[in-house]
Short mmCIF file of all heavy atoms in Angstrom, two decimals:
data_model
loop_
_atom_site.label_atom_id
_atom_site.label_comp_id
_atom_site.label_asym_id
_atom_site.label_seq_id
_atom_site.Cartn_x
_atom_site.Cartn_y
_atom_site.Cartn_z
N SER A 282 -13.99 -16.21 16.20
CA SER A 282 -13.50 -15.11 17.00
C SER A 282 -12.46 -15.50 17.99
O SER A 282 -11.87 -14.55 18.81
CB SER A 282 -14.70 -14.46 17.76
OG SER A 282 -15.34 -15.56 18.54
N GLN A 283 -12.14 -16.74 17.99
CA GLN A 283 -11.20 -17.23 19.00
C GLN A 283 -9.65 -17.17 18.50
O GLN A 283 -9.47 -17.25 17.32
CB GLN A 283 -11.47 -18.80 19.29
CG GLN A 283 -12.78 -19.02 19.96
CD GLN A 283 -12.99 -20.57 19.98
OE1 GLN A 283 -12.56 -21.33 19.17
NE2 GLN A 283 -13.70 -20.95 21.11
N THR A 284 -8.78 -16.83 19.27
CA THR A 284 -7.36 -16.69 19.00
C THR A 284 -6.80 -18.10 18.75
O THR A 284 -5.87 -18.13 18.06
CB THR A 284 -6.60 -15.99 20.06
OG1 THR A 284 -6.77 -16.61 21.42
CG2 THR A 284 -7.03 -14.54 20.14
N GLU A 285 -7.37 -19.05 19.37
CA GLU A 285 -6.80 -20.51 19.23
C GLU A 285 -8.03 -21.35 18.78
O GLU A 285 -9.06 -21.31 19.51
CB GLU A 285 -6.15 -21.04 20.38
CG GLU A 285 -4.83 -20.33 20.80
CD GLU A 285 -4.10 -21.09 22.06
OE1 GLU A 285 -4.70 -21.91 22.52
OE2 GLU A 285 -2.87 -20.73 22.19
N ILE A 286 -7.83 -22.16 17.77
CA ILE A 286 -8.97 -22.92 17.21
C ILE A 286 -8.63 -24.44 17.47
O ILE A 286 -7.38 -24.87 17.16
CB ILE A 286 -9.21 -22.63 15.76
CG1 ILE A 286 -9.29 -21.04 15.63
CG2 ILE A 286 -10.48 -23.21 15.27
CD1 ILE A 286 -9.31 -20.56 14.17
N SER A 287 -9.59 -25.29 17.63
CA SER A 287 -9.27 -26.67 17.91
C SER A 287 -9.08 -27.43 16.59
O SER A 287 -9.74 -27.01 15.60
CB SER A 287 -10.33 -27.35 18.82
OG SER A 287 -11.57 -27.18 18.20
N ALA A 288 -8.30 -28.35 16.59
CA ALA A 288 -8.13 -29.20 15.37
C ALA A 288 -9.49 -29.91 15.08
O ALA A 288 -10.25 -30.29 15.99
CB ALA A 288 -7.05 -30.39 15.64
N GLY A 289 -9.84 -30.07 13.78
CA GLY A 289 -10.98 -30.73 13.39
C GLY A 289 -12.00 -29.61 13.04
O GLY A 289 -13.09 -29.86 12.55
N SER A 290 -11.78 -28.41 13.50
CA SER A 290 -12.80 -27.39 13.38
C SER A 290 -12.52 -26.68 11.85
O SER A 290 -11.54 -26.63 11.28
CB SER A 290 -12.60 -26.19 14.26
OG SER A 290 -12.89 -26.67 15.63
N SER A 291 -13.63 -26.26 11.27
CA SER A 291 -13.57 -25.54 10.03
C SER A 291 -13.40 -24.11 10.19
O SER A 291 -14.14 -23.45 11.13
CB SER A 291 -14.80 -25.88 9.21
OG SER A 291 -14.87 -25.27 7.98
N VAL A 292 -12.59 -23.48 9.35
CA VAL A 292 -12.40 -22.09 9.61
C VAL A 292 -12.45 -21.45 8.08
O VAL A 292 -11.88 -22.02 7.24
CB VAL A 292 -11.03 -21.72 10.27
CG1 VAL A 292 -9.81 -22.30 9.57
CG2 VAL A 292 -10.85 -20.31 10.53
N SER A 293 -13.00 -20.30 8.06
CA SER A 293 -13.11 -19.44 6.85
C SER A 293 -12.27 -18.16 6.98
O SER A 293 -12.49 -17.48 8.00
CB SER A 293 -14.48 -19.17 6.35
OG SER A 293 -15.10 -20.37 5.95
N LEU A 294 -11.37 -17.92 6.05
CA LEU A 294 -10.59 -16.68 6.15
C LEU A 294 -10.97 -15.82 4.99
O LEU A 294 -10.79 -16.26 3.69
CB LEU A 294 -9.10 -16.87 5.99
CG LEU A 294 -8.57 -17.96 7.17
CD1 LEU A 294 -7.04 -18.10 6.92
CD2 LEU A 294 -8.89 -17.27 8.58
N SER A 295 -11.68 -14.54 5.17
CA SER A 295 -12.05 -13.86 4.12
C SER A 295 -11.08 -12.74 3.88
O SER A 295 -10.80 -11.95 4.79
CB SER A 295 -13.45 -13.22 4.42
OG SER A 295 -13.90 -12.34 3.50
N CYS A 296 -10.60 -12.58 2.65
CA CYS A 296 -9.60 -11.56 2.30
C CYS A 296 -10.30 -10.65 1.38
O CYS A 296 -10.85 -10.99 0.32
CB CYS A 296 -8.49 -12.14 1.60
SG CYS A 296 -7.14 -10.91 1.15
N GLN A 297 -10.30 -9.33 1.79
CA GLN A 297 -11.17 -8.23 0.95
C GLN A 297 -10.20 -7.06 0.73
O GLN A 297 -9.40 -6.58 1.62
CB GLN A 297 -12.43 -7.79 1.65
CG GLN A 297 -13.21 -6.82 0.82
CD GLN A 297 -14.58 -6.76 1.38
OE1 GLN A 297 -15.03 -7.38 2.31
NE2 GLN A 297 -15.42 -5.85 0.75
N LEU A 298 -10.28 -6.57 -0.51
CA LEU A 298 -9.60 -5.22 -0.86
C LEU A 298 -10.57 -4.22 -0.84
O LEU A 298 -11.60 -4.15 -1.56
CB LEU A 298 -8.95 -5.43 -2.30
CG LEU A 298 -8.17 -4.18 -2.74
CD1 LEU A 298 -6.98 -3.98 -1.84
CD2 LEU A 298 -7.64 -4.41 -4.20
N TYR A 299 -10.42 -3.15 0.01
CA TYR A 299 -11.29 -2.03 0.20
C TYR A 299 -10.89 -0.95 -0.66
O TYR A 299 -9.61 -0.43 -0.45
CB TYR A 299 -11.48 -1.62 1.62
CG TYR A 299 -12.11 -2.62 2.57
CD1 TYR A 299 -11.45 -3.77 3.05
CD2 TYR A 299 -13.53 -2.44 2.80
CE1 TYR A 299 -12.06 -4.67 3.88
CE2 TYR A 299 -14.10 -3.46 3.58
CZ TYR A 299 -13.44 -4.47 4.21
OH TYR A 299 -14.13 -5.43 4.88
N SER A 300 -11.58 -0.37 -1.57
CA SER A 300 -11.04 0.68 -2.50
C SER A 300 -12.09 1.69 -2.52
O SER A 300 -13.37 1.56 -2.40
CB SER A 300 -10.96 -0.06 -3.89
OG SER A 300 -9.81 -0.92 -3.90
N TYR A 301 -11.65 2.91 -2.90
CA TYR A 301 -12.45 4.09 -3.12
C TYR A 301 -13.58 3.76 -4.11
O TYR A 301 -13.24 3.20 -5.20
CB TYR A 301 -11.62 5.26 -3.65
CG TYR A 301 -12.29 6.55 -3.97
CD1 TYR A 301 -13.14 7.10 -3.10
CD2 TYR A 301 -12.02 7.13 -5.16
CE1 TYR A 301 -13.81 8.27 -3.49
CE2 TYR A 301 -12.66 8.27 -5.59
CZ TYR A 301 -13.61 8.88 -4.63
OH TYR A 301 -14.24 10.07 -4.99
N ASP A 302 -14.78 4.18 -3.84
CA ASP A 302 -15.96 3.94 -4.81
C ASP A 302 -15.68 4.32 -6.16
O ASP A 302 -16.06 3.77 -7.09
CB ASP A 302 -17.15 4.40 -4.17
CG ASP A 302 -17.62 3.72 -2.87
OD1 ASP A 302 -17.00 2.70 -2.51
OD2 ASP A 302 -18.67 4.12 -2.36
N GLY A 303 -14.91 5.57 -6.30
CA GLY A 303 -14.83 6.00 -7.56
C GLY A 303 -13.71 5.22 -8.43
O GLY A 303 -13.65 5.32 -9.65
N VAL A 304 -13.00 4.52 -7.68
CA VAL A 304 -11.91 3.69 -8.46
C VAL A 304 -11.94 2.30 -7.72
O VAL A 304 -11.00 2.05 -7.02
CB VAL A 304 -10.46 4.29 -8.32
CG1 VAL A 304 -9.54 3.65 -9.32
CG2 VAL A 304 -10.54 5.75 -8.65
N SER A 305 -12.96 1.47 -8.03
CA SER A 305 -13.05 0.17 -7.26
C SER A 305 -12.03 -0.76 -7.67
O SER A 305 -11.50 -0.70 -8.75
CB SER A 305 -14.59 -0.24 -7.49
OG SER A 305 -14.63 -0.70 -8.83
N CYS A 306 -11.98 -1.83 -6.89
CA CYS A 306 -10.94 -2.91 -7.21
C CYS A 306 -11.57 -3.67 -8.49
O CYS A 306 -10.69 -4.29 -9.15
CB CYS A 306 -10.83 -3.78 -6.08
SG CYS A 306 -12.15 -4.58 -5.38
N ASP A 307 -12.87 -3.61 -8.70
CA ASP A 307 -13.35 -4.20 -9.96
C ASP A 307 -12.68 -3.62 -11.13
O ASP A 307 -12.24 -4.38 -12.13
CB ASP A 307 -14.90 -3.97 -10.10
CG ASP A 307 -15.69 -4.90 -9.30
OD1 ASP A 307 -15.12 -5.84 -8.69
OD2 ASP A 307 -16.90 -4.58 -9.05
N TYR A 308 -12.54 -2.20 -11.16
CA TYR A 308 -11.77 -1.53 -12.23
C TYR A 308 -10.43 -2.02 -12.35
O TYR A 308 -9.92 -2.28 -13.42
CB TYR A 308 -11.89 -0.02 -12.08
CG TYR A 308 -10.97 0.67 -12.82
CD1 TYR A 308 -11.32 0.98 -14.20
CD2 TYR A 308 -9.70 1.16 -12.38
CE1 TYR A 308 -10.43 1.77 -14.95
CE2 TYR A 308 -8.84 1.88 -13.27
CZ TYR A 308 -9.22 2.17 -14.54
OH TYR A 308 -8.37 2.95 -15.40
N TRP A 309 -9.62 -2.04 -11.15
CA TRP A 309 -8.31 -2.39 -11.23
C TRP A 309 -8.06 -3.82 -11.75
O TRP A 309 -7.01 -4.18 -12.41
CB TRP A 309 -7.63 -2.25 -9.85
CG TRP A 309 -7.57 -0.77 -9.53
CD1 TRP A 309 -8.25 -0.07 -8.62
CD2 TRP A 309 -6.77 0.28 -10.20
NE1 TRP A 309 -8.03 1.17 -8.54
CE2 TRP A 309 -7.08 1.48 -9.57
CE3 TRP A 309 -5.77 0.19 -11.21
CZ2 TRP A 309 -6.41 2.58 -10.00
CZ3 TRP A 309 -5.18 1.27 -11.61
CH2 TRP A 309 -5.41 2.45 -10.99
N ILE A 310 -8.91 -4.72 -11.27
CA ILE A 310 -8.82 -6.13 -11.72
C ILE A 310 -8.97 -6.19 -13.24
O ILE A 310 -8.25 -6.95 -14.01
CB ILE A 310 -9.71 -7.06 -11.04
CG1 ILE A 310 -9.27 -7.25 -9.49
CG2 ILE A 310 -9.83 -8.40 -11.62
CD1 ILE A 310 -10.22 -7.90 -8.62
N SER A 311 -9.93 -5.60 -13.79
CA SER A 311 -10.28 -5.46 -15.28
C SER A 311 -9.40 -4.86 -16.17
O SER A 311 -9.10 -5.31 -17.22
CB SER A 311 -11.78 -5.16 -15.41
OG SER A 311 -11.88 -3.77 -15.10
N SER A 312 -8.78 -3.70 -15.68
CA SER A 312 -8.10 -2.96 -16.54
C SER A 312 -6.51 -2.92 -16.15
O SER A 312 -5.70 -2.68 -17.13
CB SER A 312 -8.58 -1.51 -16.46
OG SER A 312 -8.30 -0.83 -15.26
N GLU A 313 -6.23 -3.19 -15.02
CA GLU A 313 -4.72 -3.13 -14.61
C GLU A 313 -4.19 -4.36 -14.15
O GLU A 313 -3.00 -4.58 -13.80
CB GLU A 313 -4.62 -2.16 -13.44
CG GLU A 313 -5.01 -0.65 -13.82
CD GLU A 313 -3.98 0.03 -14.74
OE1 GLU A 313 -3.02 -0.51 -14.90
OE2 GLU A 313 -4.40 1.02 -15.28
N GLY A 314 -4.94 -5.53 -14.39
CA GLY A 314 -4.38 -6.83 -14.01
C GLY A 314 -4.14 -7.10 -12.62
O GLY A 314 -3.41 -8.03 -12.22
N ILE A 315 -4.94 -6.36 -11.76
CA ILE A 315 -4.77 -6.58 -10.35
C ILE A 315 -5.44 -7.96 -9.93
O ILE A 315 -6.66 -8.16 -10.45
CB ILE A 315 -5.43 -5.40 -9.53
CG1 ILE A 315 -4.58 -4.16 -9.74
CG2 ILE A 315 -5.51 -5.74 -8.02
CD1 ILE A 315 -3.11 -4.20 -9.10
#
């Protein structure tokens, strides 16, 4: 939650695609090559 992180610290960056439930990103990845 810090804007500045000290060297030696581990950080995880989570990238998520939010999609309409009726046309989920699972569908786009499997059928459209997303």
